[in-house]
Amino acid sequence: PIEYLDAIRKAGVDVLTNANNHDLDTGAIGIGVTIDNVEKFGFIHTGTFKSDKKRYEIIDAKGIKIAIIAFATEHNSKECNLNDKGKDFLLNHYSREKAKQIIKDARGDGAEAVFVCIHWGKENKTTNNVEQTRIAKELIELGYDCIIGSHPHVLQPFTMLEHGGRTVPVFYSMGNFISHNANNVKARSIIACIDLKKRGGKINIDCSYIPVITS
């Protein structure tokens, strides 16, 4: 709803990721209208596309260039309404090959840290599944610096995964930020706090969180 975009813009939100299992609910036209409305309110956005733009956004956070990339692992089986060209153009459906190319492009564009927001996992499950763990390890191997998950509607574990001397924070699911409060499990969520510091050309990431309850 337009009113939601107006409210979160006034609340201070700057960036939106549109890749999720509902991104094709109203087809290609819906993707275009959503993007038009998001841009009307001045949001930086990524995850769905109506033009041949970069598959990432780079923001400057106090002198640190952060790339934000958004993937979805499912689209409620509505991608069958698109041909292969349409799927590739409009959506950012996760695949290892696509993730590899996008991070290469972002690094080449000057990104010093690369964050990936990924819509994955099973709804209402408070533990991450095998597929989420596999994809997380895959993303870390490809060089992603922070993984932020959504979709299950409930909190899932936070962990630090290591690969090649790097330690990468993984939020498997932060739960709901604003949503219908169906039960106490769905009512509890977090706001992730991710602090970056640049020392000698190296980016260090520290994570904490703010607990949230939907009343």
Side-chain angles (χ1 to χ4, degrees):
I2 292 289
E3 293 82 2
Y4 183 73
L5 291 173
D6 184 41
I8 60 174
R9 190 67 177 133
K10 289 175 179 174
V13 173
D14 299 307
V15 183
L16 297 179
T17 59
N18 301 332
N20 60 74
N21 62 305
H22 288 286
D23 51 18
L24 263 181
D25 279 3
T26 51
I29 292 174
I31 287 177
V33 171
T34 298
I35 289 172
D36 288 343
N37 289 335
V38 164
E39 291 181 345
K40 175 183 175 182
F41 285 92
F43 289 102
I44 299 167
H45 66 92
T46 190
T48 57
F49 309 90
K50 69 168 191 171
S51 61
D52 193 19
K53 62 177 287 191
K54 296 173 181 176
R55 302 279 131 163
Y56 57 88
E57 290 289 337
I58 293 182
I59 59 173
D60 190 309
K62 295 183 179 179
I64 300 176
K65 290 186 176 180
I66 305 169
I68 299 175
I69 299 164
F71 292 111
T73 58
E74 60 176 293
H75 313 273
N76 288 353
S77 300
K78 291 184 171 66
E79 60 268 40
C80 62
N81 296 320
L82 303 173
N83 60 26
D84 290 341
K85 185 177 180 180
K87 292 175 193 175
D88 189 56
F89 188 82
L90 297 168
L91 306 173
N92 230 23
H93 183 78
Y94 178 78
S95 71
R96 188 183 193 282
E97 293 73 23
K98 183 173 284 188
K100 181 179 180 180
Q101 184 60 53
I102 293 175
I103 191 173
K104 180 181 178 183
D105 293 342
R107 294 287 189 194
D109 208 9
E112 298 171 278
V114 182
F115 286 17
V116 56
C117 300
I118 183 162
H119 213 72
W120 60 0
K122 296 297 182 183
E123 292 187 2
N124 306 314
K125 298 295 184 181
T126 56
T127 56
N128 50 294
N129 61 27
V130 173
E131 184 70 358
Q132 285 171 278
T133 304
R134 182 191 67 80
I135 292 174
K137 291 178 178 178
E138 201 166 76
L139 288 165
I140 293 166
E141 289 172 4
L142 292 173
Y144 286 82
D145 298 302
C146 185
I147 300 171
I148 304 166
S150 60
H151 178 63
H153 298 293
V154 294
L155 276 173
Q156 289 186 346
F158 167 83
T159 190
M160 302 287 288
L161 295 180
E162 294 185 7
H163 177 76
R166 299 167 59 242
T167 303
V168 176
V170 182
F171 295 86
Y172 278 109
S173 173
M174 295 185 296
N176 291 334
F177 181 51
I178 299 174
S179 182
H180 171 57
N181 178 13
N183 55 51
N184 285 333
V185 177
K186 286 187 177 180
R188 296 191 295 270
S189 60
I190 62 166
I191 298 171
C193 302
I194 304 167
D195 296 316
L196 285 79
K197 294 179 181 177
K198 187 178 352 184
R199 294 171 180 163
K202 183 181 178 182
I203 306 297
N204 293 323
I205 300 176
D206 293 317
C207 296
S208 58
Y209 67 92
I210 299 170
V212 173
I213 188 162
T214 302
S215 174

